[in-house]
Each structure stands twice: as C-alpha cells, then as structure tokens.
C-alpha cells in the first residue's frame, strides 16, 4: 500500500479537446485563449498551487489509507462502502489536480516545480471519467472486486470449506494429481463473478485515461517510467531476452523431472507444463516442488521451515528476525505502533484480505504490514520483502509528499528482495538458525531452489500486464479474456491450464493484482533490479565470495549506500537513483546470469539429449 497518489495523466487543454469538433476557428480560438491563460500564470502561482495541493494530498492520503486499512481487515458491506467513498474522493481530487497542473505547462518554472507538476499529471492508476456518476461507479466496482477476492473460498467435494491460505498450503505440499487439480479448479470458482465488473472497470478506466490524453489505460501505465511508453515496452522485451535462455533450460529440466513423478501421459515432454503441478496456486513460483526436482546430493542439510519450528519461531519472532536484518545495516528499529497496529495472523472471527502488503498510513511513522503469516521459509522471505517497503517508506518520509514514493515502482518491490538475497547459509548461521555452512558442492541445490522462485517468476511477472495492456487497447475483447490469458501463459511461461477452460471462466481474476487493479510490471522490474542492487551492495561491502554466497548482513557501508537511494524517494528520475547504486542508468539482467551461472552450466549438462521448448 503506497502512501501517495498514483495518478498518471497527460497535459491537455480541455477547452481545446472539447471544441475540436466545432471547426478549425474554434480550435484556434481555444488554443489562443489557453496561451493567454498560460502567459498570465507565473512560477509563484505554480508554487502556491503546489503548496496548497500538498496539504490536501496529505489529508486525502491519510483518510484513504485508513478507510482502505479498515476495509482490508474488516470486510463488510459498510467498510467496502467507506473505502469506495474515500477512493472516489481521492480519484476525483487526483483528476482535478492533474487538470490544474496542466495549466502550467507553458509557464517557466524551476526543475523541482516541473517534476512535481509532472508527478501530479502521472499518478492515477485507475483514472475516473469526468463524470461524478461514473467516478462513483468506478470506485464501487473496485471495492466490490476487492471484496470478492478477499471473501473467496471453496467447498471441497468432501464438504470442507477452505480459504485461499488453506488451499495454497495444499498446493505447496500435496503430490496427489487429483487433489491438486481440485484445489486449482476450486479457487477459480471465485472469479467468474468478477468478469462483468472487470469489463466495466476497464471501460471506465479507459474513458478516464482517454479523457486525460492517453490512447488507453495501458498506455497511461507505461508512461510512468521517465521514458516514452513505447520505449518502456521495448525495454521489458530486451531484459526478457537476456534472461530467456536461462529460463528455457530451467523449464526443460523441471518438466522432465515432473514427467518422472506424474508420468509423461500427464506431463508430455513436448508441451507446456500443467499449471497445477508447480507448487503454487498461480504457477508463478515453483520453489515448493524443490523436493521433486532437487539435484542429487545437493541437500544443504537444513530446511528453513523446519529450522524456524525447531527454534520456536512464531509469527512475531519471524517479523522481529526480518527487522533485525535492517537494523544490522544501520536502519532504526520499527516503531512500537508497528507492532500494535499490524495484522500478522488471520483472525478466526472475520474475513480479511490475506494477501501480504505493507502500509504507510500517515507518511510519517505509522507503518504497518498486513499478512496472514504462515510459519514457513517462504513467508520468512516475504516478511523481509514487506519490511523493505516499510523501511523505504520511512526513509523518504522527509521528502515533500510528491516525492514520497520509490524511484520507480519496481524499486519498492526490489528493496526487500535485495535483503532476502542476503539470507544465505552464512547469515543463517550468524543468527543461529543453522550450525554449519554447507560447502560449495551444495550450491547447485541452493541455486536451484532460488531459481525455482526467482527465475520461474520472471515471465509471469511480464505477462500479467501484457494481458491487461491488450485488454485496455481493445486487442483482447471480453469473450477472449480467458483464451488470451492462457495463450500468453503458454508463450512466456510454457505453462498450460490442466483442463479445458470455459469461455466464461475469468482465470485472471483469481490473481489478486488483477481485481485489485495493481500494475504488475513492477514485479518484473523488481526481479531484475534486486540482483543488480545485490551485486552492487556486495561490491560496496567488500565481499570476496561468489555473488550467490554474499550477504551484506551487518555491513554499515552497504546500509549507508542503500539508505542514500531510499531517502531520494522519487525526487529524481529513477535512472539517477539507479546510477547512485549501480553506476549505470540502464537496467541490466547480467547480474542474474552471474548469480545463477553455476546452475545454468549444470542445467545445460542435464538437458543434453532432451527435447526442450514448448
């Protein structure tokens, strides 16, 4: 949960756009009038506008965050209505701010003022049309979609009602083909009801984006990265091209091993992998099937989930452990209010949105996480990730509200994961979770486990927004929502639905970020950036180990360098923040290739003679 607006709009003159159908003279007159207005405005008036808007933003953010927090933790019709009202108020204000900021486009202002004005014009994720009724409808739809997801459950054939968390746990541990299939199908029964709401949301979001000068909502999202929208899309393709050979070899090996477990009749060796067999409800990360694909003699001699249990880690102790990593780098401990106000476990008496998230309610020190923690190694890493958001939020709290955000949205996701990359055997020994550090002969197993989570995710991180961009542009129409979703999953991931899907199925809706309207490219970027950040911080720390063995735990030099970037917030283009840490302004996936180099060599050897590809 970000504390700032996510508005993105283009500088447009409403008078000119509304008058365009009335003839050339009208357009010329409107443009002339607009120029007069622009000339009448000054940099001093821009500063006054920005100062007044900042005060309103702070109050709107606080009200909106509180309403959203209550709705996520006490899902009822009333809290959904309150959240929708707050969202509508913020959205309408965001559009108003954007239109007012556009009036200063021709005014000579300082670089700082121009950046703030541009941020006002580029922050809405789901822009409302210039119609109060449609704005209210859009806000209501958003709340309804969130509630459908948050309340989602499935009653099994045996009559047991399961939450998403319970089904996710089964997906992670079961090796029964039919049980996995039932869980996979069961969770997707929650999403068909979302489809008509989503169709309408896309229509309204597009109308809002077009009213602000964009071709569609997808183009608007892509414009939020300090580069032209088309260049951003090309940049993602370039980065994926760097990683794809490693992914293809991982996919080939995993498919072969799954064929040994379930039979090649269920896992054909020349086709995409059935999505329910990869240990995750969305087949987005594959770490839970490590036991099925682990290299021989690669067991490091410990299991983090079991070690957490044997050392009596409860949910709070897991969060305390993650906090200690940040404090070891020189960051201040979390405030007492964090422990009083966060949600760590799923309540027994009410529905909550269990998806892990980090919150900054007052842009000062009221930071929290909301998470139904499972006592697993996976969730131990997720906690590091969420606290990364919180420490980032607090680092930039002294920036103006306009800059209280990450350099780009991938940065926010990458910071916690950068820390998690330092959760190496060396670190686990240092905090007392294990007794000995495995020798380098065990690295292939550790790298395999990491690749199943990180490398397996990357094409999923790319295709979610690829699908939405096609929806928003009209290339994918409602009757093709589901087929297009699976076409992209097969193209990028080499993963397929385990059974034929009904045309009215809405499988995208079974993934939280789709009904929640959260852009997903940030997660793709984060998986690139975290390895670059890790490599850079390891260099700063004076590390001499291979990059995959490096831990920056307890290194104040690395912590100081990281904090320098975090404190910048979004006050400068992301490329400038990138250069501070990595020395370069362009993202580069070679850090991933460096990290996994021993594994890639091993995979190529194991895949000799196999029919790879999908």
């Amino acid at each position: 949960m970000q504390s700032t607006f996510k508005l993105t709009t283009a500088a447009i003159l409403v008078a000119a756009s509304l008058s365009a159908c009335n003839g050339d003279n009208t357009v010329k007159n409107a443009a002339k009038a607009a120029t007069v207005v622009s000339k009448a405005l000054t940099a001093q008036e821009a500063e006054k506008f920005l100062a007044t808007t900042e005060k309103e933003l702070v109050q709107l953010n606080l009200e909106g965050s509180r309403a959203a927090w209550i709705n996520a933790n006490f899902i009822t019709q009333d809290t959904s209505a309150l959240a929708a009202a707050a969202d509508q108020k913020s959205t309408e204000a965001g559009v108003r701010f954007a239109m007012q900021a556009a009036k200063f486009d021709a005014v000579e202002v300082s670089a700082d003022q121009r950046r703030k004005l541009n941020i006002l014009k580029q922050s809405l994720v789901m822009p409302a049309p210039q119609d109060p009724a449609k704005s209210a409808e859009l806000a209501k739809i958003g709340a309804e979609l969130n509630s459908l997801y948050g309340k989602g459950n499935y009653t099994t054939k045996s009559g047991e009602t399961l939450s998403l968390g319970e089904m996710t746990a089964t997906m992670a541990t079961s090796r029964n083909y039919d049980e996995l299939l039932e869980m996979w199908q069961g969770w997707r029964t929650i999403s068909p009801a979302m489809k008509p709401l989503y169709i309408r949301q896309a229509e309204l979001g597009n109308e809002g984006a077009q009213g602000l000068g964009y071709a569609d909502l997808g183009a608007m999202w892509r414009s939020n990265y300090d580069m032209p929208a088309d260049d951003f899309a090309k940049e993602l393709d370039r980065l994926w091209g760097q990683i794809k050979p490693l992914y293809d070899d991982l996919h080939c090996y995993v498919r072969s091993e799954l064929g040994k477990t379930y039979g090649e009749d269920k896992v054909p060796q020349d086709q995409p992998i059935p999505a329910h067999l990869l240990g995750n409800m969305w087949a987005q990360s594959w770490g839970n099937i490590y036991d099925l694909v682990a290299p021989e003699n690669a067991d490091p001699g410990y299991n983090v989930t079991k070690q957490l249990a044997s050392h009596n880690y409860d949910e709070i102790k897991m969060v305390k452990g993650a906090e200690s990593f940040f404090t070891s780098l020189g960051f201040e401990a979390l405030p007492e209010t964090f422990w009083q106000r966060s949600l760590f476990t799923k309540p027994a008496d009410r529905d909550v949105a269990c998806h892990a998230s980090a919150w900054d309610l007052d842009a000062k020190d009221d930071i929290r996480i909301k998470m139904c923690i499972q006592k697993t190694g996976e969730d131990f890493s997720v906690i590091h990730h969420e606290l990364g958001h919180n420490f980032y939020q607090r680092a930039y709290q002294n920036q103006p509200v306009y800059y209280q955000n990450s350099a780009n949205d991938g940065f926010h996701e990458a910071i916690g994961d950068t820390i998690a990359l330092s959760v190496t055997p060396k670190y686990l020994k240092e905090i007392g979770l294990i007794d000995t550090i495995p020798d380098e002969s065990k690295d292939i197993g550790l790298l395999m486990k990491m690749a199943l989570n990180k490398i397996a995710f990357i094409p999923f991180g790319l295709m979610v927004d690829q699908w939405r961009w096609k929806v928003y542009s009209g290339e994918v129409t409602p009757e093709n929502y589901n087929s297009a979703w699976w076409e992209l999953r097969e193209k990028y991931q080499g993963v397929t639905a385990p059974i034929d899907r009904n045309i009215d199925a809405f499988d995208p809706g079974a993934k939280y970020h789709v009904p929640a309207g959260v852009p997903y490219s940030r997660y793709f970027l984060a998986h690139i950036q975290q390895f670059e950040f890790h490599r850079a911080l390891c260099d700063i720390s004076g590390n001499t180990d291979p990059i995959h063995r490096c831990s920056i735990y307890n290194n104040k030099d690395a912590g100081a360098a990281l904090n320098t970037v975090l404190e910048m917030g979004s006050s400068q283009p992301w490329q400038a923040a990138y250069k501070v840490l990595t020395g370069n302004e362009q993202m580069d996936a070679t850090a991933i290739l460096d990290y996994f180099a021993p594994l890639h060599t091993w995979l190529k050897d194991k895949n000799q003679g196999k029919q790879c590809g999908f």
Side-chain angles (χ1 to χ4, degrees):
M1 176 70 184
Q2 300 301 312
S3 63
T4 51
F5 267 53
K6 294 299 296 172
L7 292 101
T8 299
T9 142
I12 59 170
L13 291 167
V14 174
S17 62
L18 293 179
S19 303
C21 61
N22 293 330
D24 290 342
N25 289 335
T26 307
V27 175
K28 291 175 182 177
N29 291 338
K32 183 178 179 180
T35 302
V36 172
V37 170
S38 294
K39 286 180 179 177
L41 295 172
T42 65
Q44 289 75 20
E45 287 171 302
E47 187 61 32
K48 182 179 178 181
F49 162 69
L50 289 167
T52 302
T53 300
E54 180 163 16
K55 293 177 181 177
E56 190 172 350
L57 276 170
V58 169
Q59 187 60 35
L60 284 167
N61 289 337
L62 181 59
E63 292 175 6
S65 294
R66 284 176 172 166
W69 175 265
I70 293 169
N71 183 224
N73 288 280
F74 300 86
I75 301 174
T76 68
Q77 184 175 353
D78 291 328
T79 62
S80 294
L82 290 170
D87 184 57
Q88 180 185 356
K89 183 177 179 181
S90 291
T91 300
E92 290 176 350
V95 174
R96 172 165 50 87
F97 297 151
M99 305 304 287
Q100 291 171 329
K103 295 177 182 178
F104 293 93
D105 278 357
V107 179
E108 187 174 341
V109 296
S110 70
D112 181 65
Q113 289 171 328
R114 178 59 61 202
R115 184 160 183 83
K116 290 176 180 177
L117 290 166
N118 285 340
I119 284 173
L120 281 177
K121 297 187 299 178
Q122 294 181 333
S123 305
L124 268 183
V125 169
M126 194 64 65
Q130 296 287 303
D131 178 331
K134 289 181 177 179
S135 175
E137 183 185 4
L138 183 62
K140 182 181 178 183
I141 287 172
E144 288 179 1
L145 285 169
N146 269 303
S147 292
L148 282 171
Y149 193 94
K151 291 181 177 180
N153 58 46
Y154 167 67
T155 301
T156 67
K157 297 172 183 176
S158 61
E160 184 181 9
T161 299
L162 301 176
S163 67
L164 174 58
E166 291 166 328
M167 286 185 277
T168 298
T170 299
M171 295 289 288
T173 56
S174 175
R175 300 295 179 253
N176 181 304
Y177 186 96
D178 293 331
E179 182 180 31
L180 290 169
L181 183 58
E182 184 181 3
M183 294 299 103
W184 189 92
Q185 286 183 268
W187 177 242
R188 282 155 184 77
T189 62
I190 72 151
S191 50
M194 299 177 184
K195 186 175 179 180
L197 293 168
Y198 189 84
I199 293 170
R200 183 59 177 157
Q201 183 190 60
E203 292 171 352
L204 293 170
N206 266 346
E207 186 176 338
Q210 289 160 358
L212 298 170
Y214 292 90
D216 56 67
L217 186 54
M220 180 173 143
W221 285 8
R222 295 191 299 276
S223 298
N224 208 25
Y225 291 93
D226 293 309
M227 62 172 65
D230 288 346
D231 288 357
F232 177 67
K234 292 174 184 175
E235 182 70 353
L236 298 190
D237 289 337
R238 181 186 67 81
L239 291 165
W240 169 237
Q242 287 183 288
I243 302 159
K244 190 175 185 299
L246 173 58
Y247 178 82
D248 286 348
D249 278 316
L250 178 67
H251 180 281
C252 186
Y253 172 77
V254 167
R255 180 175 62 189
S256 175
E257 296 302 298
L258 288 175
K260 296 174 185 177
T261 298
Y262 295 103
E264 294 189 4
D265 57 324
K266 290 184 167 65
V267 188
Q269 296 300 291
D270 59 350
Q271 295 178 29
I273 300 171
H276 66 308
L277 301 180
L278 290 160
N280 174 271
M281 183 61 79
W282 306 276
Q284 67 182 54
S285 59
W286 307 347
N288 291 319
I289 62 163
Y290 175 75
D291 61 306
L292 300 182
V293 303
E296 291 183 14
N297 303 316
D299 183 358
Y302 67 87
N303 176 290
V304 176
T305 298
K306 292 178 180 177
Q307 292 301 114
L308 291 169
S310 65
H311 287 80
N312 300 313
Y313 271 71
D314 60 11
E315 294 84 356
I316 299 298
K317 190 174 180 181
M318 289 171 68
V319 182
K320 289 281 188 183
E323 178 196 34
S324 70
F325 205 121
F326 288 90
T327 57
S328 84
L329 299 177
F331 292 91
E332 291 184 21
L334 293 163
E336 185 59 32
T337 53
F338 172 88
W339 304 101
Q340 296 168 348
R341 299 172 184 175
S342 291
L343 178 81
F344 302 118
T345 58
K346 180 173 171 49
D349 62 342
R350 66 181 191 269
D351 290 319
V352 300
C354 271
H355 184 84
S357 54
W359 298 64
D360 178 7
L361 273 77
D362 65 356
K364 294 177 183 175
D365 219 30
D366 189 356
I367 49 181
R368 315 174 187 180
I369 64 169
K370 176 189 61 59
M371 183 176 174
C372 303
I373 296 172
Q374 307 287 320
K375 289 179 281 189
T376 64
E378 181 179 3
D379 269 14
F380 193 47
S381 291
V382 171
I383 295 166
H384 283 78
H385 173 94
E386 297 305 333
L387 292 193
H389 287 300
N390 285 148
F391 280 97
Y392 204 163
Q393 288 160 340
R394 192 164 65 172
Y396 57 56
Q397 67 175 337
N398 293 323
Q399 291 282 358
V401 67
Y402 302 103
Y403 301 150
Q404 288 174 359
N405 210 336
S406 57
N408 67 36
D409 54 9
F411 272 66
H412 238 307
E413 301 301 330
I415 295 305
D417 281 348
T418 298
I419 299 301
L421 288 177
S422 281
V423 182
T424 60
K426 178 180 178 181
Y427 163 67
L428 295 175
K429 182 177 185 298
E430 199 158 348
I431 64 173
L433 267 180
I434 63 175
D435 298 324
T436 58
I437 301 173
D439 63 46
E440 291 192 21
S441 68
K442 306 298 184 183
D443 285 358
I444 296 299
L446 294 172
L447 288 171
M448 173 65 78
K449 189 172 292 186
M450 180 74 74
L452 292 171
N453 286 316
K454 300 291 187 180
I455 303 305
F457 174 84
I458 289 173
F460 184 81
L462 183 63
M463 62 76 51
V464 173
D465 276 353
Q466 294 274 359
W467 178 81
R468 282 192 285 201
W469 295 344
K470 291 175 183 291
V471 168
Y472 294 140
S473 72
E475 181 180 342
V476 169
T477 54
E479 61 269 22
N480 296 319
Y481 275 1
N482 223 53
S483 59
W485 174 259
W486 286 107
E487 285 169 9
L488 286 168
R489 297 203 66 178
E490 291 188 17
K491 173 184 175 181
Y492 286 105
Q493 286 185 280
V495 166
T496 189
I499 56 169
D500 289 337
R501 304 302 290 151
N502 188 289
I503 191 172
D504 291 324
F506 185 52
D507 294 337
K511 176 61 184 169
Y512 169 81
H513 299 73
V514 174
V518 179
Y520 213 73
S521 295
R522 63 185 64 173
Y523 302 103
F524 174 86
L525 294 176
H527 277 66
I528 308 299
Q529 293 167 354
Q530 64 187 261
F531 288 97
E532 281 204 82
F533 294 165
H534 177 66
R535 182 169 65 180
L537 290 169
C538 286
D539 288 343
I540 291 167
S541 73
N543 169 70
T544 57
D545 293 325
I547 183 175
H548 64 273
R549 290 200 138 216
C550 166
S551 177
I552 64 167
Y553 176 70
N554 220 19
N555 190 284
K556 300 298 190 293
D557 290 339
L562 180 61
N563 190 54
T564 297
V565 171
L566 303 191
E567 286 182 339
M568 291 170 66
S570 58
S571 62
Q572 296 183 45
W574 69 263
Q575 292 90 340
Y578 219 75
K579 190 170 184 177
V580 167
L581 200 56
T582 69
N584 298 302
E585 293 187 350
Q586 185 180 49
M587 288 176 283
D588 179 16
T590 60
I592 294 176
L593 303 181
D594 289 348
Y595 190 98
F596 290 101
L599 176 66
H600 200 183
T601 299
W602 184 89
L603 287 170
K604 285 182 176 295
D605 179 65
K606 291 294 180 181
N607 288 338
Q608 286 186 16
K610 293 178 183 175
Q611 182 175 342
C612 295
F614 44 83

